[in-house]
Coordinates of all heavy atoms in Angstrom, one line a residue:
A1 N -17.8 11.9 11.2 CA -16.6 12.4 10.6 C -16.5 13.8 10.7 O -15.4 14.3 11.0 CB -16.7 11.9 9.1
G2 N -17.4 14.7 10.5 CA -17.3 16.2 10.4 C -16.9 16.7 11.7 O -16.5 17.9 11.8
G3 N -17.1 16.2 12.9 CA -16.8 16.8 14.2 C -17.9 17.8 14.7 O -17.8 18.2 15.8
G4 N -19.0 18.0 14.0 CA -20.0 18.7 14.4 C -19.8 20.2 14.4 O -20.8 20.9 14.9
R5 N -18.9 20.7 14.0 CA -18.6 22.2 14.2 C -18.9 22.8 12.8 O -18.5 22.3 11.8 CB -17.2 22.5 14.6 CG -16.9 22.1 16.0 CD -15.6 22.6 16.4 NE -15.2 22.1 17.7 CZ -14.5 22.7 18.5 NH1 -13.9 23.8 18.2 NH2 -14.3 22.3 19.8
G6 N -19.5 24.0 12.8 CA -19.6 24.8 11.7 C -18.4 25.5 11.2 O -17.4 25.4 11.8
P7 N -18.4 26.3 10.1 CA -17.3 27.0 9.7 C -16.9 28.1 10.7 O -17.7 28.6 11.4 CB -17.8 27.6 8.4 CG -19.2 27.7 8.5 CD -19.7 26.6 9.3
R8 N -15.7 28.4 10.8 CA -15.2 29.4 11.7 C -15.1 30.7 11.0 O -14.5 30.7 9.8 CB -13.7 29.0 12.3 CG -13.7 27.8 13.2 CD -12.4 27.5 13.7 NE -12.5 26.3 14.5 CZ -11.8 26.2 15.6 NH1 -11.1 27.1 16.2 NH2 -12.0 25.0 16.3
L9 N -15.6 31.7 11.6 CA -15.7 33.1 11.0 C -14.6 34.0 11.6 O -14.3 33.9 12.7 CB -17.0 33.7 11.2 CG -18.2 33.0 10.5 CD1 -19.4 33.7 10.8 CD2 -18.1 32.9 8.9
T10 N -13.9 34.6 10.6 CA -12.9 35.5 11.0 C -13.6 36.6 11.8 O -14.5 37.3 11.4 CB -12.1 36.2 9.9 OG1 -11.8 35.1 9.0 CG2 -11.0 37.1 10.3
P11 N -13.1 36.9 13.1 CA -13.8 37.9 13.9 C -13.6 39.3 13.3 O -12.6 39.7 12.6 CB -13.0 38.0 15.1 CG -12.0 36.8 15.2 CD -11.9 36.3 13.8
V12 N -14.7 40.0 13.3 CA -14.8 41.4 12.7 C -14.5 42.3 13.9 O -15.1 42.3 14.9 CB -16.1 41.8 12.1 CG1 -16.2 43.1 11.7 CG2 -16.5 40.8 11.1
T13 N -13.4 43.2 13.7 CA -13.1 44.1 14.7 C -13.4 45.6 14.2 O -13.9 45.8 13.0 CB -11.5 44.1 14.9 OG1 -10.9 44.4 13.6 CG2 -11.0 42.8 15.4
E14 N -13.4 46.5 15.1 CA -13.7 47.9 14.7 C -12.8 48.3 13.5 O -11.7 48.1 13.5 CB -13.5 48.8 15.9 CG -13.9 50.1 15.6 CD -13.9 51.2 16.8 OE1 -13.9 50.7 18.0 OE2 -13.9 52.3 16.6
G15 N -13.5 48.8 12.5 CA -12.8 49.2 11.3 C -12.7 48.2 10.3 O -12.2 48.5 9.2
S16 N -13.2 47.0 10.5 CA -13.1 46.0 9.5 C -14.4 45.4 9.2 O -15.4 45.8 9.8 CB -12.2 44.7 10.1 OG -13.0 43.9 11.0
R17 N -14.5 44.8 8.0 CA -15.9 44.2 7.5 C -15.6 42.9 6.9 O -14.4 42.5 6.5 CB -16.3 45.1 6.4 CG -16.5 46.6 6.8 CD -17.1 47.4 5.8 NE -18.5 46.7 5.5 CZ -19.6 47.4 4.9 NH1 -19.4 48.7 4.7 NH2 -20.6 46.7 4.8
R18 N -16.6 42.1 7.0 CA -16.6 40.8 6.2 C -16.7 41.1 4.7 O -17.5 41.8 4.3 CB -17.8 39.8 6.7 CG -17.6 39.4 8.1 CD -18.6 38.4 8.5 NE -18.8 38.2 10.0 CZ -18.0 37.5 10.7 NH1 -16.9 37.0 10.3 NH2 -18.2 37.5 11.9
A19 N -15.8 40.5 3.9 CA -15.8 40.7 2.6 C -16.1 39.4 1.7 O -15.7 38.5 2.2 CB -14.4 41.3 2.1
F20 N -16.8 39.7 0.6 CA -17.1 38.6 -0.3 C -17.1 39.1 -1.7 O -17.3 40.3 -1.9 CB -18.4 37.9 0.1 CG -19.6 38.7 0.0 CD1 -20.3 39.0 -1.2 CD2 -19.9 39.6 1.0 CE1 -21.5 39.6 -1.3 CE2 -21.0 40.5 1.0 CZ -21.8 40.4 -0.2
V21 N -17.1 38.2 -2.6 CA -17.3 38.5 -4.1 C -18.6 37.7 -4.4 O -18.8 36.5 -4.3 CB -16.1 38.1 -4.9 CG1 -16.5 38.3 -6.5 CG2 -14.9 38.7 -4.5
G22 N -19.6 38.5 -4.8 CA -20.9 37.9 -5.2 C -21.6 38.4 -6.3 O -21.1 39.4 -6.9
L23 N -22.7 37.7 -6.8 CA -23.5 38.2 -7.8 C -24.9 38.5 -7.4 O -25.5 37.9 -6.6 CB -23.6 37.1 -9.0 CG -22.3 36.6 -9.5 CD1 -22.6 35.4 -10.4 CD2 -21.7 37.7 -10.3
S24 N -25.4 39.7 -7.9 CA -26.8 40.1 -7.6 C -27.7 39.1 -8.3 O -27.4 38.6 -9.4 CB -27.0 41.5 -8.0 OG -26.2 42.3 -7.3
L25 N -28.9 38.9 -7.7 CA -30.0 38.1 -8.4 C -30.7 39.0 -9.3 O -30.9 40.0 -9.2 CB -30.9 37.5 -7.3 CG -30.4 36.6 -6.3 CD1 -31.4 36.2 -5.3 CD2 -29.6 35.5 -6.9
P26 N -31.1 38.2 -10.5 CA -32.1 39.1 -11.5 C -33.4 39.3 -10.6 O -33.8 38.5 -9.8 CB -32.2 38.0 -12.6 CG -31.6 36.8 -12.1 CD -30.8 37.0 -11.0
A27 N -34.1 40.3 -11.0 CA -35.3 40.8 -10.3 C -36.3 39.6 -10.3 O -37.1 39.4 -9.3 CB -35.9 42.0 -11.1
S28 N -36.5 38.7 -11.4 CA -37.5 37.7 -11.4 C -37.1 36.7 -10.2 O -37.9 36.1 -9.6 CB -37.6 37.1 -12.7 OG -36.3 36.6 -13.1
L29 N -35.8 36.3 -10.2 CA -35.5 35.4 -9.1 C -35.5 35.9 -7.7 O -35.8 35.2 -6.8 CB -34.1 34.8 -9.4 CG -33.5 33.8 -8.7 CD1 -34.5 32.5 -8.7 CD2 -32.2 33.3 -9.1
E30 N -35.2 37.2 -7.7 CA -35.3 37.9 -6.3 C -36.6 37.8 -5.7 O -36.9 37.5 -4.5 CB -35.0 39.3 -6.5 CG -34.9 40.1 -5.2 CD -34.5 41.6 -5.5 OE1 -33.4 41.9 -5.9 OE2 -35.3 42.5 -5.2
A31 N -37.7 37.9 -6.6 CA -39.2 37.7 -6.2 C -39.5 36.4 -5.7 O -40.1 36.2 -4.6 CB -40.1 38.1 -7.2
E32 N -38.9 35.4 -6.4 CA -39.1 33.9 -6.0 C -38.3 33.7 -4.7 O -39.0 33.0 -3.7 CB -38.6 33.0 -7.1 CG -39.5 33.1 -8.3 CD -39.0 32.0 -9.3 OE1 -38.9 30.8 -8.9 OE2 -39.0 32.3 -10.4
V33 N -37.1 34.2 -4.5 CA -36.3 33.9 -3.4 C -37.0 34.6 -2.2 O -37.1 34.1 -1.1 CB -34.9 34.3 -3.5 CG1 -34.2 34.2 -2.2 CG2 -34.3 33.4 -4.6
S34 N -37.5 35.8 -2.4 CA -38.2 36.5 -1.3 C -39.4 35.9 -0.8 O -39.7 35.8 0.4 CB -38.6 38.0 -1.9 OG -39.2 38.7 -0.8
A35 N -40.3 35.2 -1.7 CA -41.3 34.5 -1.4 C -41.0 33.4 -0.5 O -41.6 33.1 0.6 CB -42.2 34.1 -2.5
A36 N -40.0 32.7 -0.9 CA -39.5 31.4 -0.1 C -39.0 31.9 1.2 O -39.2 31.2 2.2 CB -38.4 30.7 -0.9
A37 N -38.2 33.0 1.3 CA -37.7 33.5 2.6 C -38.7 33.9 3.5 O -38.7 33.6 4.7 CB -36.7 34.5 2.3
G38 N -39.9 34.5 2.9 CA -41.1 34.8 3.7 C -41.6 33.6 4.5 O -42.0 33.7 5.7
A39 N -41.7 32.5 3.8 CA -42.2 31.2 4.4 C -41.3 30.8 5.5 O -41.7 30.5 6.7 CB -42.4 30.2 3.4
L40 N -39.9 30.9 5.3 CA -39.0 30.5 6.3 C -38.9 31.4 7.5 O -38.8 31.0 8.7 CB -37.6 30.4 5.7 CG -37.3 29.3 4.7 CD1 -35.9 29.4 4.0 CD2 -37.4 28.0 5.3
R41 N -39.1 32.8 7.2 CA -39.1 33.7 8.3 C -40.3 33.4 9.2 O -40.2 33.7 10.4 CB -39.3 35.2 7.6 CG -39.1 36.3 8.5 CD -39.1 37.6 7.9 NE -37.9 37.8 6.9 CZ -37.9 38.2 5.6 NH1 -39.1 38.4 5.1 NH2 -36.8 38.3 5.1
A42 N -41.4 33.0 8.7 CA -42.5 32.7 9.6 C -42.3 31.4 10.5 O -43.1 31.2 11.3 CB -43.8 32.5 8.8
D43 N -41.3 30.6 10.1 CA -41.0 29.5 11.0 C -40.4 29.8 12.3 O -39.3 30.4 12.2 CB -40.1 28.5 10.2 CG -39.8 27.2 10.8 OD1 -40.3 26.9 11.9 OD2 -39.3 26.4 10.2
A44 N -41.1 29.4 13.4 CA -40.6 29.7 14.7 C -39.3 28.9 15.0 O -38.6 29.3 16.0 CB -41.7 29.5 15.7
A45 N -38.9 28.0 14.2 CA -37.7 27.2 14.4 C -36.5 27.9 14.1 O -35.4 27.5 14.3 CB -37.8 25.9 13.7
A46 N -36.5 29.0 13.4 CA -35.3 29.8 13.0 C -35.4 31.2 13.7 O -35.2 32.2 12.9 CB -35.3 29.9 11.6
P47 N -35.5 31.4 15.1 CA -35.6 32.6 15.7 C -34.1 33.4 15.6 O -34.3 34.7 15.7 CB -35.9 32.4 17.0 CG -35.4 31.0 17.3 CD -35.5 30.3 16.0
S48 N -33.1 32.7 15.4 CA -31.8 33.5 15.5 C -31.3 33.9 14.2 O -30.1 34.5 14.1 CB -30.8 32.7 16.2 OG -30.6 31.4 15.6
V49 N -32.0 33.8 13.1 CA -31.6 34.1 11.8 C -31.8 35.5 11.6 O -32.7 36.1 11.9 CB -32.3 33.3 10.7 CG1 -32.0 33.8 9.3 CG2 -32.0 31.7 10.9
R50 N -30.7 36.2 11.0 CA -30.8 37.6 10.7 C -31.1 37.7 9.2 O -30.4 37.3 8.3 CB -29.5 38.3 10.9 CG -29.4 39.8 10.7 CD -28.1 40.4 11.0 NE -27.0 39.7 10.3 CZ -26.3 40.3 9.4 NH1 -26.3 41.7 9.2 NH2 -25.4 39.7 8.8
W51 N -32.3 38.2 9.0 CA -32.9 38.3 7.5 C -32.5 39.5 6.8 O -32.5 40.5 7.3 CB -34.4 38.1 7.6 CG -34.9 36.8 8.1 CD1 -35.3 36.6 9.4 CD2 -34.9 35.6 7.4 NE1 -35.6 35.3 9.6 CE2 -35.3 34.6 8.4 CE3 -34.7 35.2 6.1 CZ2 -35.5 33.2 8.1 CZ3 -34.8 33.8 5.8 CH2 -35.3 32.9 6.8
L52 N -32.2 39.4 5.5 CA -31.8 40.5 4.7 C -32.9 41.0 3.9 O -33.9 40.3 3.6 CB -30.7 40.1 3.6 CG -29.3 39.6 4.2 CD1 -28.5 39.0 3.0 CD2 -28.7 40.6 4.8
A53 N -33.0 42.3 3.6 CA -33.9 42.8 2.6 C -33.8 42.1 1.3 O -32.6 41.8 0.9 CB -33.8 44.3 2.5
A54 N -34.8 42.0 0.6 CA -34.7 41.2 -0.8 C -33.7 41.9 -1.6 O -33.1 41.2 -2.5 CB -36.1 41.1 -1.4
A55 N -33.6 43.2 -1.6 CA -32.6 43.9 -2.4 C -31.2 43.5 -2.2 O -30.2 43.7 -3.0 CB -32.8 45.4 -2.4
S56 N -30.9 43.0 -1.0 CA -29.5 42.5 -0.6 C -29.3 41.1 -1.0 O -28.2 40.6 -0.7 CB -29.4 42.8 0.8 OG -29.4 44.1 1.2
Y57 N -30.2 40.2 -1.6 CA -30.0 39.0 -1.7 C -28.8 38.8 -3.0 O -28.8 39.6 -3.8 CB -31.2 38.3 -2.4 CG -32.3 38.0 -1.3 CD1 -33.6 37.8 -1.7 CD2 -32.1 38.3 0.1 CE1 -34.6 37.4 -0.9 CE2 -33.1 38.0 0.9 CZ -34.3 37.7 0.5 OH -35.4 37.4 1.5
H58 N -28.1 37.8 -2.8 CA -27.0 37.7 -3.8 C -26.5 36.1 -3.6 O -26.8 35.5 -2.7 CB -25.8 38.5 -3.5 CG -25.2 38.2 -2.1 ND1 -25.7 38.9 -0.9 CD2 -24.1 37.6 -1.7 CE1 -24.9 38.4 0.1 NE2 -24.0 37.6 -0.3
V59 N -25.6 35.8 -4.6 CA -24.9 34.5 -4.6 C -23.5 34.9 -4.3 O -22.8 35.5 -5.1 CB -25.1 33.8 -5.8 CG1 -24.3 32.4 -6.0 CG2 -26.6 33.5 -6.2
T60 N -23.0 34.2 -3.1 CA -21.6 34.5 -2.8 C -20.8 33.4 -3.6 O -20.9 32.2 -3.5 CB -21.5 34.3 -1.3 OG1 -22.1 35.2 -0.6 CG2 -20.0 34.5 -0.9
L61 N -19.7 34.0 -4.3 CA -18.9 33.2 -5.1 C -17.7 32.8 -4.2 O -17.1 31.7 -4.3 CB -18.4 34.0 -6.4 CG -19.6 34.4 -7.4 CD1 -19.0 35.2 -8.4 CD2 -20.2 33.2 -7.9
V62 N -17.3 33.8 -3.4 CA -16.1 33.5 -2.5 C -16.1 34.4 -1.4 O -16.4 35.6 -1.5 CB -14.7 33.7 -3.3 CG1 -14.5 35.1 -3.8 CG2 -13.5 33.2 -2.4
F63 N -15.9 33.8 -0.2 CA -15.9 34.7 1.0 C -14.5 35.0 1.4 O -13.6 34.0 1.4 CB -16.6 33.9 2.2 CG -16.7 34.6 3.4 CD1 -17.5 35.7 3.7 CD2 -15.9 34.2 4.6 CE1 -17.5 36.5 4.8 CE2 -15.9 34.9 5.7 CZ -16.7 36.0 5.8
L64 N -14.1 36.2 1.6 CA -12.8 36.5 1.8 C -12.5 36.8 3.2 O -11.2 36.8 3.6 CB -12.6 37.9 1.0 CG -12.8 37.9 -0.5 CD1 -12.8 39.3 -1.1 CD2 -11.9 36.9 -1.1
G65 N -13.5 36.8 4.1 CA -13.2 37.0 5.5 C -13.2 38.4 5.9 O -13.5 39.3 5.1
A66 N -12.7 38.7 7.1 CA -12.6 40.1 7.6 C -11.4 40.7 7.1 O -10.4 40.2 6.9 CB -12.6 40.1 9.2
M67 N -11.6 42.0 6.8 CA -10.6 42.9 6.2 C -10.7 44.4 6.6 O -11.9 44.6 6.9 CB -10.2 42.6 4.7 CG -11.4 43.2 3.9 SD -11.1 43.1 2.2 CE -10.7 41.5 1.8
P68 N -9.7 45.1 6.8 CA -9.9 46.4 7.0 C -10.9 47.1 5.9 O -10.7 46.8 4.8 CB -8.4 47.1 6.9 CG -7.6 46.0 7.2 CD -8.3 44.8 6.6
A69 N -11.8 48.0 6.4 CA -12.7 48.6 5.5 C -12.1 49.2 4.3 O -12.6 49.2 3.2 CB -13.6 49.5 6.3
E70 N -10.9 49.8 4.4 CA -10.3 50.6 3.4 C -9.8 49.6 2.4 O -9.6 50.0 1.1 CB -9.2 51.5 3.8 CG -8.0 50.8 4.5 CD -8.2 50.6 6.0 OE1 -9.2 50.9 6.6 OE2 -7.2 50.2 6.6
H71 N -9.6 48.3 2.6 CA -9.2 47.4 1.6 C -10.4 47.0 0.6 O -10.1 46.7 -0.6 CB -8.8 46.1 2.2 CG -7.4 46.1 2.8 ND1 -6.7 45.0 3.3 CD2 -6.6 47.2 3.3 CE1 -5.7 45.5 3.9 NE2 -5.6 46.7 3.8
G72 N -11.7 47.3 1.0 CA -12.7 47.1 0.2 C -12.8 48.0 -0.9 O -13.2 47.7 -2.0
V73 N -12.3 49.3 -0.8 CA -12.2 50.2 -1.7 C -11.2 49.7 -2.8 O -11.5 49.8 -4.1 CB -11.8 51.7 -1.2 CG1 -11.5 52.6 -2.4 CG2 -12.7 52.2 -0.3
V74 N -10.1 49.2 -2.5 CA -9.1 48.7 -3.4 C -9.7 47.5 -4.2 O -9.6 47.4 -5.3 CB -7.7 48.3 -2.7 CG1 -6.9 47.7 -3.7 CG2 -7.1 49.6 -2.1
L75 N -10.3 46.7 -3.4 CA -10.9 45.4 -4.0 C -11.9 45.7 -5.1 O -11.9 45.3 -6.1 CB -11.5 44.6 -2.9 CG -12.1 43.3 -3.2 CD1 -11.1 42.3 -3.8 CD2 -12.8 42.7 -2.1
R76 N -12.8 46.7 -4.7 CA -13.8 47.1 -5.7 C -13.1 47.7 -7.0 O -13.7 47.5 -8.1 CB -14.8 48.1 -5.1 CG -16.0 47.5 -4.3 CD -16.9 48.5 -3.9 NE -17.4 48.2 -2.6 CZ -16.9 48.9 -1.5 NH1 -16.1 49.8 -1.6 NH2 -17.2 48.4 -0.2
A77 N -12.1 48.4 -6.8 CA -11.5 49.1 -8.0 C -10.9 48.1 -8.9 O -10.8 48.3 -10.1 CB -10.3 50.1 -7.5
R78 N -10.4 47.0 -8.3 CA -9.7 45.9 -9.1 C -10.7 44.9 -9.7 O -10.2 44.1 -10.7 CB -8.7 45.2 -8.3 CG -7.6 46.1 -7.9 CD -6.6 45.4 -7.1 NE -5.4 46.5 -6.8 CZ -4.2 46.1 -6.6 NH1 -3.9 44.8 -6.4 NH2 -3.2 47.0 -6.2
L79 N -11.9 44.9 -9.2 CA -12.8 43.8 -9.8 C -13.5 44.4 -11.0 O -14.1 45.5 -10.9 CB -13.8 43.3 -8.7 CG -13.2 42.5 -7.6 CD1 -14.2 42.3 -6.6 CD2 -12.8 41.2 -8.1
P80 N -13.7 43.7 -12.1 CA -14.5 44.2 -13.2 C -16.0 44.1 -12.8 O -16.5 43.1 -12.2 CB -14.2 43.2 -14.3 CG -13.7 41.8 -13.7 CD -13.1 42.3 -12.3
L81 N -16.6 45.2 -13.0 CA -18.1 45.2 -12.7 C -19.0 45.2 -13.9 O -18.7 45.6 -15.0 CB -18.6 46.4 -12.0 CG -17.6 46.5 -10.5 CD1 -18.1 47.9 -9.9 CD2 -18.0 45.4 -9.7

């Protein structure tokens, strides 16, 4: 049924960035996720995965796609932190 294709990502061009709204993980959960990621990282079956530093782990609430970098400034100003 699904056609076998993954999601299509908006191409990032020079001066643009992929944007999302997300939540940082609490430190206690960050440590658990980091330990689980370490086990996955050691798996040779995932050589093409780009791993993030534990401090960058987050839960993405909504992916906005590629947008000009300057729009990120406006977006951050409008979101309650």
